[in-house]
Amino acid sequence: MDGLLSGKVAVITGAGSGVGRAAVKLWTGHGARVIAADINLATAEETVALSGAPQGAARAVRCDVSDPDSVGSAVAFAVETFGRLDVMYNNAGITVMPVPGKGLRKLVDAPLDEMKRVEDVNINGVIYGCQAAIRRFAAQGRGGAIVNTASVAGLIGYGGVLYGATKGAVVNLTRSLALEVAEDGIRVNSVCPAGMLTHYSGMDPDSEHKDRILEGMGKAHPLGRAIEPADTAAAAMFLASELASNITGVNLPVDGGLSAGKKVGG
Ligand SMILES: NC(=O)c1ccc[n+]([C@@H]2O[C@H](COP(=O)([O-])OP(=O)(O)OC[C@H]3O[C@@H](n4cnc5c(N)ncnc54)[C@H](O)[C@@H]3O)[C@@H](O)[C@H]2O)c1
């Protein structure tokens, strides 16, 4: 099938839900062959089943991004299944869960074990994904694309202090790594979405109040529409594709203009 990602093989982490699920559907629709990797194998398999991908173009694998061996195995599975790796999409991420009914948990109240887990998944998970991909790209010769899911919370103060700190780390890792591997023809970019209605942070994307919630979320953005997982998957697809072949070290906001600043006057 002809498309933006025709001939490309991608590993997408966090593929069992939200952005990752949207990316599997969109990217395979644009010709990619994809490994849908998630710590929850059942939801990754569900993603593949629901993706509408051509037979055999998407395969599920269990992968815990906080375990470097597990990430290495997911990349090895891509090579075993499809013969190579062209794109690593380090998308899996978690947050410190809010207090039910009270919203975001303040940094001083965040449980230590949960904080460490968020750091491990959001920072180390991306680092392990980058390492595994770069090793594979080197074995193939030259080139390759890495896309990370950071967050608008990595660009501006956005609530969720510890979470924002981990995403800020991803933003700067993206820049530094892009410089380090540019000479090998490897590109490294990130997408920085604003809040989306996904399972992340305990929200329910299938809520009967979905329309009202999305309307409320949309009001926070200059463009007036809530960010959808498919918006983020599309931005990531652009960065993964040859359309972005001269773009690296970029952290692309997908936020309806939220991080552009505050309009004054008029
Ligand atoms: N939803 C938002 O408001 C929002 C905003 C900005 C950035 N993000 C980021 O977008 C990315 C995707 O989140 P989402 O909104 O789709 O959330 P989601 O909870 O719907 O999906 C995340 C997926 O990651 C998987 N996962 C969790 N820990 C994992 C691990 N250790 N290894 C592998 N997979 C793991 C989960 O099982 C789940 O399928 C995350 O990096 C998140 O931080 C989300």
Side-chain angles (χ1 to χ4, degrees):
M1 172 177 189
D2 281 344
L4 271 188
L5 297 179
S6 280
K8 304 276 189 201
V9 174
V11 170
I12 299 174
T13 69
S17 175
V19 173
R21 177 166 286 188
V24 171
K25 183 178 165 68
L26 186 68
W27 293 24
T28 54
H30 279 264
R33 286 169 295 161
V34 158
I35 300 298
D38 201 286
I39 196 166
N40 184 335
L41 178 61
T43 58
E45 286 174 337
E46 194 180 71
T47 292
V48 169
L50 295 173
S51 68
Q55 185 68 29
R59 295 280 301 276
V61 71
R62 186 188 177 278
C63 167
D64 177 355
V65 297
S66 70
D67 172 359
D69 292 339
S70 183
V71 180
S73 297
V75 169
F77 184 59
V79 176
E80 193 182 299
T81 309
F82 297 126
R84 58 182 292 107
L85 179 76
D86 300 291
V87 181
M88 185 77 194
Y89 184 15
N90 297 306
N91 165 72
I94 58 174
T95 191
V96 177
M97 287 313 238
V99 188
K102 289 192 177 165
L104 287 174
R105 205 184 278 268
K106 288 190 173 167
L107 184 67
V108 288
D109 298 329
L112 196 58
D113 55 344
E114 217 180 315
M115 283 171 51
K116 287 188 183 303
R117 181 69 185 155
V118 172
E119 290 167 13
D120 215 16
V121 172
N122 290 9
I123 304 177
N124 291 334
V126 172
I127 291 171
Y128 301 146
C130 291
Q131 287 181 318
I134 291 165
R135 286 181 189 127
R136 180 61 212 167
F137 294 155
Q140 290 173 185
R142 196 179 155 73
I146 294 171
V147 184
N148 302 318
T149 299
S151 168
V152 74
L155 300 173
I156 59 171
Y158 189 61
V161 176
L162 190 267
Y163 176 78
T166 66
K167 294 300 187 175
V170 173
V171 162
N172 218 34
L173 175 148
T174 298
R175 294 187 185 115
S176 304
L177 184 61
L179 296 177
E180 185 170 284
V181 298
E183 65 187 9
D184 304 313
I186 300 170
R187 298 183 302 106
V188 189
N189 294 291
S190 90
V191 285
C192 300
M196 297 168 286
L197 183 55
T198 65
H199 286 293
Y200 148 100
S201 86
M203 296 181 292
D204 177 11
D206 303 316
S207 159
E208 56 180 307
H209 307 299
K210 181 178 175 175
D211 290 346
R212 191 170 49 76
I213 297 169
L214 288 175
E215 195 186 326
M217 291 171 85
K219 285 187 179 141
H221 308 126
L223 284 179
R225 179 169 74 77
I227 311 305
E228 303 274 357
D231 295 325
T232 303
M237 180 169 77
F238 163 69
L239 292 170
S241 78
E242 294 304 319
L243 286 181
S245 63
N246 212 2
I247 297 177
T248 197
V250 158
N251 294 288
L252 179 62
V254 186
D255 66 354
L258 183 76
S259 62
K262 193 168 166 56
K263 188 181 172 198
V264 289

